Amino acid sequence: DESEKDKDEL
Amino acid sequence: MNIFRLTGDLSHLAAIIILLLKIWKTRSCAGISGKSQILFALVFTTRYLDLLTSFISLYNTSMKFIYIGCAYATVYMIYAKFKATYDGNHDTFRVEFLVVPIGGLAFLVNHDFSPLEILWTFSIYLESVAILPQLFMISKTGEAETITTHYLFFLGLYRALYLMNWIWRFYFEGFFDMIAIVAGVVQTILYCDFFYLYVTKVLKGKKLSLPA
């Protein structure tokens, strides 16, 4: 979902 | 993924590897702040707990394991293996004055009041000031080994590149995270003084010595 994608940064 | 984030991650990885190799090869952690390295290990631990809950990509997962592994290996080398070379007398920054207020701030200002999100927020805030003990130590000793200045340069550069990544992502994806951006700006500003000394001294072959 959207929030997962947001936390794709290290 | 964009070029700024990729070069930012590689710059961060380079910094971590440079420090690890410096301590390992010279068998000495002279001039290195163990407190900053403990804070970085704490930053990675609190930020990468999502390793247990979600898989984003092989790159994402492998980099997180490398960061956590190197951070703890560095702390181990400073406080155990090469403890005799640890310069505790100059590594005296009161980190509790950072960790406690930041812990409180993470509870007050965050995107979502859930354990993982609060820990992530804590790690973002903490990372922005985690280098302070190291910069404080250099100001106390008045100098830094050249290899240490390269470590600091890549470490500072990584978050500056992330700022460009966030500009890119805002412009092309409409994505932005105010907490990460504000903390990233603070973090990069803390390096400005060092960047000036690095460019005007180290890149000209001189040793980095603060105003003697």
Side-chain angles (χ1 to χ4, degrees):
Chain A
D1 62 293
E2 188 52 29
S3 69
E4 279 312 311
K5 195 179 82 61
D6 282 355
K7 286 285 186 296
D8 65 344
E9 293 184 346
L10 290 177
Chain B
M1 176 60 80
N2 59 65
I3 185 64
F4 297 113
R5 185 142 72 93
L6 182 61
T7 45
D9 289 341
L10 296 177
S11 180
H12 194 185
L13 183 64
I16 291 171
I17 301 296
I18 285 171
L19 181 63
L20 207 58
L21 287 181
K22 172 252 186 290
I23 299 176
W24 181 257
K25 294 278 188 205
T26 65
R27 303 184 69 73
S28 161
C29 58
I32 301 299
S33 164
K35 294 187 174 194
S36 274
Q37 297 312 314
I38 289 175
L39 293 181
F40 284 123
L42 185 58
V43 165
F44 294 142
T45 306
T46 52
R47 187 176 303 179
Y48 298 155
L49 290 173
D50 63 350
L51 276 170
L52 309 171
T53 61
S54 63
F55 176 82
I56 291 167
S57 70
L58 188 61
Y59 170 81
N60 189 280
T61 300
S62 48
M63 287 291 269
K64 287 175 178 177
F65 276 118
I66 292 170
Y67 285 2
I68 288 179
C70 291
Y72 280 100
T74 302
V75 169
Y76 168 75
M77 287 200 290
I78 292 172
Y79 287 100
K81 198 158 179 59
F82 305 121
K83 181 167 62 170
T85 65
Y86 171 56
D87 181 7
N89 298 323
H90 288 111
D91 191 12
T92 55
F93 193 95
R94 304 291 301 277
V95 291
E96 57 272 25
F97 292 161
L98 292 178
V99 175
V100 174
I102 279 170
L105 187 64
F107 268 93
L108 295 174
V109 182
N110 53 59
H111 292 313
D112 175 39
F113 202 76
S114 68
L116 263 184
E117 187 67 24
I118 287 178
L119 285 170
W120 177 85
T121 307
F122 171 75
S123 87
I124 291 289
Y125 293 151
L126 184 61
E127 187 190 5
S128 64
V129 293
I131 200 61
L132 283 177
Q134 179 65 68
L135 297 178
F136 180 75
M137 182 174 189
I138 290 176
S139 70
K140 281 194 79 172
T141 57
E143 62 172 9
E145 287 180 38
T146 298
I147 189 70
T148 306
T149 63
H150 297 319
Y151 158 70
L152 286 170
F153 172 73
F154 285 111
L155 196 60
L157 181 66
Y158 126 75
R159 214 59 179 172
L161 287 166
Y162 254 73
L163 293 179
M164 296 176 202
N165 152 63
W166 287 320
I167 293 170
W168 174 285
R169 291 191 74 179
F170 178 65
Y171 186 74
F172 287 105
E173 301 170 22
F175 163 86
F176 78 99
D177 180 332
M178 192 50 88
I179 285 177
I181 290 172
V182 172
V185 168
V186 168
Q187 182 170 338
T188 305
I189 288 175
L190 291 178
Y191 282 86
C192 287
D193 175 38
F194 166 77
F195 281 146
Y196 173 75
L197 290 170
Y198 185 78
V199 170
T200 57
K201 290 197 173 178
V202 179
L203 292 190
K204 290 189 169 57
K206 296 184 196 122
K207 187 156 175 54
L208 186 129
S209 57
L210 296 180

